[in-house]
Amino acid sequence: QVQLQESGPGLVKPSQTLSLTCTVSGGSITTNYYYWSWIRQPPGKGLEWMGAIAYSGSTYYSPSLKSRTSISRDTSKNQFTLQLSSVTPEDTAVYYCARAGMSGDEYDYWGQGTQVTVSS
């Protein structure tokens, strides 16, 4: 059974960089042909796909966030990370990591989510 767990600071100051780590167990992040994604949900709003890193290491980003987003991985630790720079209060959200298959926007496993607040 694949499990994902988000970790990182719950508070970030404006203009700083948000950094989160997703630790995966029960499956390898290099296994064909899965994609490892970051999704967020601001208060009272819907889910927003941020980006993903593929089994191959290729990265993909939402056009609206590409300039501020970086996703990387550490295969030795079976982890992938999210960095979102120049944050503002509008970046306050619950952040999730999730696994997607070849079908793209179809997630079979999710982390529990972690609240990140950008202070005013």
Side-chain angles (χ1 to χ4, degrees):
Q1 190 79 3
V2 175
Q3 293 181 305
L4 296 84
Q5 177 75 254
E6 304 90 346
S7 62
L11 292 172
V12 184
K13 293 184 176 181
S15 82
Q16 295 189 337
T17 296
L18 180 160
S19 183
L20 297 173
T21 297
C22 183
T23 300
V24 179
S25 62
S28 173
I29 60 173
T30 63
T31 296
N32 300 354
Y33 298 98
Y34 294 107
Y35 295 77
W36 305 90
S37 305
W38 287 100
I39 303 100
R40 69 179 182 180
Q41 185 170 37
K45 299 182 180 179
L47 296 169
E48 178 186 21
W49 178 78
M50 302 182 69
I53 186 164
Y55 59 96
S56 62
S58 298
T59 53
Y60 308 87
Y61 301 104
S62 169
S64 64
L65 296 170
K66 185 175 182 178
S67 66
R68 299 194 292 131
T69 306
S70 179
I71 298 173
S72 58
R73 67 180 183 176
D74 185 339
T75 58
S76 69
K77 296 180 179 180
N78 213 37
Q79 296 177 329
F80 63 105
T81 62
L82 169 72
Q83 292 187 302
L84 182 67
S85 65
S86 303
V87 299
T88 73
E90 291 187 356
D91 293 310
T92 294
V94 176
Y95 285 75
Y96 299 91
C97 55
R99 189 179 80 168
M102 292 186 295
S103 297
D105 196 18
E106 183 178 308
Y107 306 99
D108 54 359
Y109 292 97
W110 293 73
Q112 64 183 5
T114 186
Q115 172 70 44
V116 178
T117 299
V118 179
S119 64
S120 301

